[in-house]
Amino acid sequence: MRKTIYPARLILLVLFFFIQCKKEDKIIPRKISLEQTSESPTFIKDLPNDLEKLPKGMIWIRGGEFIQGARKGDKMAMAHERPSHRVIVDGFFMDEHEVTNAQFSKFVQATDYVTVAEREIDWDEMKKQLPDDTEKPNDSLLKPGSLVFKKTATSVPNLYDYSQWWEWKIGANWKHPQGPDSSIEGKGDHPVVHIAFEDALAYCKWAGKRLPTEAEWEYAARAGNKEAIFSWGNNKDSLSFMANTWDGEFPNSNTKADGFERISPVKNYPSNDFGLYDMAGNVWEWTTDWYNTKYYGSVKKEKFLKNPKGADSPFNINNPYASEKVIKGGSFLCSESYCASYRISARMGTNIDTGLEHLGFRTVIGIDEYLNKLRREKSND
């Protein structure tokens, strides 16, 4: 029986309302390009010369090193993006774009998978994740659903209170992004959303891939541009041509200078120098790292980190009941006045049982993992 997990944003809204009112053996082929500097360990850089088949729809990201975290010239950087630190990653394959509705539909058709947002809610189970004195909300709220963005009628002076622009909507899920009356018909090329961490992992298992680490994601987004703040460089004025973000005053007025008010199709904006699309804006993307606000500070004394997997556990003093993972890339809701999370180093913590209208994912696979996958496929033929 599948364990029931509840949407963290519903939990947080409940709190706000009542408080405020078998592992695979690794195989490294002989012909993989291995590089080493005088100060760095050996790492996988290039593909083996005799690799006959490449994964469809994925880009090879050459291994290398980079500085993870905020750049000195980034005036919009937040404290949890610092201090920056030296990281080395092995080469890996990454989806050229976010997983789409069409791709996720194939997964669901093959497995009959039911996402977190589509599952029935049991208050007796849900309250175990809440403070003991939390009162039960109205039964009308305890139905399958997810959080959908709603514009406000006027300016919002307090941008810390996200309940002003997030609405819990019964029947909202990946098939109905804005609620039961909405549909993804004709939107097969849009990123799938309302995807909780568990949902993304299930897709990855079916596809024989995995989610990226935060370091892999950030390294891929940077695409070799050492001092760039954005995936296209340092020119902030290019934002509306390069990414789907919020143009105008958030959250009440969007000029749609980038062509869209909400989600856009994948590959609608230019790719970065690695050939990856939507590494800024459109929808946030899951990574495997725990979100821990103390993590960057704890690794600053290290000479370098190789293939880091982040903190051992989550920590966010502002959300103590949450088990949060790092999400990257920002979304169509990001604006300079609110979070400016279309920057490469930007990061945010989101609870693992949360699905939102602006949250999706893309997958990766390491060369050793890919070779094992090819071996399994060959043995099944």
Side-chain angles (χ1 to χ4, degrees), residues 373-381:
K373 182 181 180 181
L374 291 179
R375 184 180 64 177
R376 290 193 299 270
E377 292 175 350
K378 187 175 182 180
S379 65
N380 291 331
D381 289 341

Side-chain angles (χ1 to χ4, degrees), residues 66-80:
F66 76 112
I67 302 300
Q68 182 175 3
R71 292 303 178 263
K72 293 181 179 180
D74 187 355
K75 296 180 180 179
M76 296 176 285
M78 300 182 184
H80 64 176

